[in-house]
Amino acid sequence: MAKHLARIHGTEEDKVNCPFYFKIGACRHSDRCSRLHHRPAFSPTILIKHVYRHPVRVAELEQAATASNAQDSSSNNNNNNNNSSNSNSNSNTSNPSKMDKMKAFEDFLCFYEDMFLELSKFGRIDELHVCDNLGDHMIGHVYCKFFNEEDASDAMQVMNGRFYEGRKMEVEFSPVTDFREARCRDFDEEACSRGGFCNFLHAKPVPTPLIRSLEADSEMDRRREEDERRDRERDERRARKRERRDRRERKRSRKQSSSSRRSSSSKSDRSVSRSRSRSPEGGGASDDDYSDKSD
């Protein structure tokens, strides 16, 4: 029975645990899911929720805002003016659509670089993925897998609650440790029929030279920080040795001063005792002389 439960854990046959949360770290049913979501207490992978602003969602929000503004302005303008303005706007937005794609890709690369360099401060990164999904339960998610679980714990404690572009980040441990099970194979082959609303991970592609350069830069930063830490520790050790040596010298000087005072006081005491020991002899001779004179 135990072998059977271990074999079906995290699969579709498991009627207790949610397989999507086990594989992807996110479920479209969220807390309303009929199966359990076991949130790990420790993991090499952290999940930063909804931190990436997807260009499609941003375009939808802008379009909704412009549509509401157009409706407001249409009540004040004539139909002819509205038709001319619509034709002009359509002619003006035909070329910027291509530029928007290039700008969105450049913005994504800048975002990826910021996340990689910031997270690499906590340790070596094994994998960093940004979701290209459009579902509410996965949009804008960032997965970061470290080589060391302690580095992931440090990153979660520091990054959770921080702000990025005015938005508060929510960071938690993710059960995903093998992204081969979480990724959509059809998306990697550019053949996913569900598009952005697929329940499997659509990781945005990143140029390999950029990843290599970021890894080299982060490695150089870690080495520089390690060298600086060693220099600080060496300076602190030297400062502690200097303080101990100064304390020993001060103790030695106090001992020498106290011994010199003792020796001077002992010399004075000996001189006083000698003078006192000499004074009775002279006094005795004078008494004999007086006795002789009395006879």
Side-chain angles (χ1 to χ4, degrees), residues 105-273:
F105 183 69
E106 292 177 357
D107 293 340
F108 164 69
L109 293 181
C110 293
F111 171 81
Y112 188 89
E113 184 176 356
D114 292 341
M115 280 291 155
F116 195 99
L117 294 177
E118 187 66 25
L119 292 171
S120 63
K121 295 178 181 179
F122 303 99
R124 293 182 59 195
I125 295 176
D126 187 10
E127 296 182 60
L128 179 64
H129 299 291
V130 180
C131 283
D132 199 21
N133 301 70
L134 295 175
D136 293 336
H137 64 291
M138 293 185 68
I139 186 169
H141 281 5
V142 175
Y143 294 86
C144 181
K145 181 181 178 182
F146 291 88
F147 282 97
N148 193 350
E149 292 183 350
E150 296 179 355
D151 298 336
S153 178
D154 295 339
M156 190 199 70
Q157 292 177 2
V158 175
M159 298 292 288
N160 190 24
R162 291 178 61 180
F163 286 85
Y164 183 82
E165 293 184 352
R167 289 174 291 123
K168 189 176 181 180
M169 292 188 292
E170 183 180 355
V171 187
E172 64 181 21
F173 286 121
S174 176
V176 182
T177 56
D178 188 1
F179 286 94
R180 292 175 299 180
E181 297 293 333
R183 296 172 68 103
C184 178
R185 297 180 178 86
D186 293 337
F187 177 78
D188 294 337
E189 297 174 358
E190 299 181 356
C192 183
S193 60
R194 296 184 178 181
F197 293 95
C198 180
N199 288 325
F200 286 93
L201 174 62
H202 287 190
K204 291 183 73 67
V206 182
T208 304
L210 177 61
I211 298 176
R212 296 292 179 265
S213 63
L214 291 175
E215 289 177 351
D217 294 340
S218 61
E219 187 66 25
M220 290 178 61
D221 293 339
R222 280 194 297 271
R223 289 180 180 178
R224 184 172 60 253
E225 291 178 357
E226 186 68 20
D227 293 339
E228 292 177 356
R229 184 183 62 81
R230 291 177 180 176
D231 293 338
R232 288 195 301 268
E233 291 178 354
R234 185 176 63 252
D235 295 337
E236 291 176 356
R237 287 195 300 269
R238 289 179 178 176
R240 288 194 296 268
K241 289 181 180 179
R242 193 180 301 109
E243 290 178 358
R244 288 196 296 267
R245 186 170 60 252
D246 295 339
R247 286 197 298 268
R248 286 196 298 268
E249 290 179 355
R250 287 195 296 269
K251 288 181 180 179
R252 189 180 299 109
S253 62
R254 286 197 296 268
K255 287 181 180 179
Q256 291 177 355
S257 61
S258 61
S259 62
S260 62
R261 286 196 298 270
R262 290 195 194 95
S263 61
S264 61
S265 61
S266 62
K267 288 180 181 179
S268 61
D269 293 339
R270 284 197 298 271
S271 62
V272 171
S273 61

